[in-house]
């Protein structure tokens, strides 16, 4: 392959990250896949992917991972910051430690990895950082407050970073998935149900959690390959876009959010807590 890149993909043990690591390796790139559950990434090894254990809340784990990659390859062309999860729940209910933990994974881990790869990218005079955000970084969802906070932060951080790194030949791209059929929805719904139990928000929280679980299990949403294609484009295009918003319903959601008066948007979102779907 003409333009073979050295790429680190986080959150590669499942969903979008796994699919992306596989696709990038199949495109001929040198891919390092990172996550905590290394056993889930074993099948990637057969495709030539290097697998590493990394917890993005652990400084030593992140710096050792990046050093290991740099020692082996002597360079890093692309960082795909994809690790993340959703802890849904009413603001009144979500324990502050859980809110902090979500920020640690979705924002501070992502930011720290940018810091760790930037010196090498600056030395090379080139590099690309692809951050997985969400449409939840541009529109607020019912009982998704802390997840929204993390993804709004990823949007702001990425836009700021793009301006700073441009003189060094480093580009920053945001990928904004709509709902994608992965474990993400089931994890977010489980947290929502747990945090709503025995509280004033139990009825709405439980219904919304059941509806989310139902929608994710009903194969209602796009599969991860839609996002993988966008990430591959963000990695391989000579002139990538600043944002790739992808997935069934993603654009429509953002258009509605832009057009509807805020209280109308609130009302549409709150319908989630009235739905009787799933159990
Ligand atoms: N699916 C959706 O509907 C959707 C929509 C918009 C945006 N997104 C975003 O897309 C990204 C990928 O999510 P997904 O849908 O592919 O969900 P997923 O299948 O649950 O994958 C999440 C990945 O993040 C990793 N991760 C979680 N905590 C971590 C930690 N502390 N350290 C290192 N890795 C960690 C997990 O690996 P380990 O647990 O093995 O560490 C896993 O590989 C996330 O940033 C998510 O917010 C998803």
């Amino acid at each position: 392959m003409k333009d073979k890149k050295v790429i680190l993909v986080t959150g590669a043990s499942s969903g979008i990250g796994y699919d992306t690591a596989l696709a990038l390796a199949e495109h001929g790139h040198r891919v390092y896949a990172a996550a905590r559950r290394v056993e889930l990434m074993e099948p990637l090894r057969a495709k030539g992917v290097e697998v590493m254990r990394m917890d993005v809340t652990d400084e030593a784990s992140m710096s050792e991972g990046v050093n290991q990659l740099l020692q082996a390859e002597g360079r890093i062309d692309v960082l795909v910051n994809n690790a993340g999860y959703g802890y849904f729940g009413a603001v009144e209910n979500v324990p502050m430690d859980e809110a902090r933990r979500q920020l640690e994974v979705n924002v501070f881990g992502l930011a720290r990895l940018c810091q760790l790869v930037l010196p090498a990218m600056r030395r090379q005079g080139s590099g690309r950082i692809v951050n997985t955000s969400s449409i939840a970084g541009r529109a607020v969802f019912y009982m998704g407050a802390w997840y929204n906070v993390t993804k709004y932060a990823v949007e702001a951080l990425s836009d700021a970073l793009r301006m700073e790194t441009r003189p060094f030949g480093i580009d920053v791209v945001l990928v904004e998935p709509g709902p994608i059929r992965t474990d993400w929805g089931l994890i977010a719904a489980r947290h929502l149900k747990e945090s709503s139990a025995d509280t004033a928000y139990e009825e709405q929280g439980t219904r919304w959690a059941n509806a989310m679980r139902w929608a994710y299990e009903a194969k209602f949403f796009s599969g991860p390959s839609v996002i993988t294609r966008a990430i591959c484009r963000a990695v391989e295009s000579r002139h990538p876009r600043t944002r790739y918003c992808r997935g069934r319903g993603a654009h429509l959601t953002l258009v509605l959010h832009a057009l509807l008066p805020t209280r109308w948007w609130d009302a549409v979102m709150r319908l989630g807590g009235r739905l009787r779907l799933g159990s």
Side-chain angles (χ1 to χ4, degrees):
M1 171 172 191
K2 219 167 88 189
D3 196 10
K4 178 172 159 171
K5 296 178 194 293
V6 177
I7 304 173
L8 171 61
V9 181
T10 69
S13 63
S14 115
I16 295 168
Y18 184 96
D19 203 55
T20 297
L22 185 60
L24 289 169
E26 284 171 351
H27 287 203
H29 300 293
R30 182 89 177 115
V31 179
Y32 283 71
R36 293 167 304 176
R37 293 169 296 170
V38 277
E39 67 285 0
L40 297 184
M41 299 186 285
E42 280 308 316
L44 292 173
R45 282 192 205 274
K47 302 283 178 182
V49 173
E50 292 291 333
V51 166
M52 55 169 67
R53 194 189 174 284
M54 185 185 287
D55 183 340
V56 300
T57 66
D58 179 43
E59 170 65 30
S61 160
M62 287 186 283
S63 52
E64 277 163 25
V66 171
N67 284 340
Q68 184 189 325
L69 180 154
L70 287 174
Q71 267 169 21
E73 306 294 335
R75 61 184 294 115
I76 178 160
D77 299 303
V78 183
L79 165 64
V80 180
N81 259 321
N82 167 76
Y85 72 102
Y87 193 115
F88 269 47
V91 173
E92 190 179 336
N93 291 341
V94 175
M96 293 311 288
D97 281 348
E98 291 294 352
R100 284 192 192 95
R101 191 177 146 62
Q102 202 176 175
L103 278 157
E104 275 303 331
V105 174
N106 294 6
V107 183
F108 297 120
L110 170 147
R112 182 62 187 135
L113 278 168
C114 292
Q115 290 184 333
L116 287 168
V117 302
L118 279 169
M121 288 182 174
R122 274 192 296 102
R123 275 195 302 276
Q124 293 160 199
S126 68
R128 197 163 289 177
I129 295 175
V130 180
N131 288 335
T132 309
S133 174
S134 168
I135 55 167
R138 294 172 68 190
V140 172
F141 293 105
Y142 188 48
M143 295 206 180
W146 284 109
Y147 182 67
N148 283 114
V149 166
T150 69
K151 292 302 185 181
Y152 270 71
V154 168
E155 294 274 324
L157 187 124
S158 306
D159 282 340
L161 188 62
R162 184 181 317 105
M163 298 178 219
E164 294 164 8
T165 57
R166 191 185 157 97
F168 306 111
I170 301 164
D171 207 351
V172 180
V173 179
L174 279 156
V175 174
E176 302 170 325
I180 301 297
R181 231 169 40 232
T182 66
D183 291 347
W184 183 95
L186 307 180
I187 293 168
R190 191 184 71 228
H191 288 314
L192 171 55
K193 206 165 197 164
E194 279 167 11
S195 65
S196 305
D198 301 323
T199 74
Y201 305 86
E202 179 161 22
E203 194 181 334
Q204 312 93 295
T206 305
R207 280 199 201 154
W208 187 211
N210 290 343
M212 281 172 76
R213 174 174 264 283
W214 174 85
Y216 273 85
E217 282 177 344
K219 305 202 177 349
F220 205 59
F221 301 133
S222 305
S225 61
V226 172
I227 306 306
T228 294
R229 278 198 294 279
I231 296 177
C232 288
R233 192 158 288 184
V235 167
E236 291 167 348
S237 292
R238 189 179 285 271
H239 300 293
R241 303 164 67 144
T242 52
R243 284 178 165 75
Y244 292 85
C245 174
R246 295 285 187 280
R248 197 169 300 141
H251 281 288
L252 180 64
T253 305
L254 294 187
V255 168
L256 276 178
H257 183 257
L259 294 180
L260 288 178
T262 306
R263 288 195 193 283
W264 289 29
W265 175 262
D266 292 353
V268 171
M269 284 293 107
R270 287 181 59 239
L271 274 177
R274 304 216 196 101
L275 291 172
R276 289 181 188 275
L277 295 169
S279 56

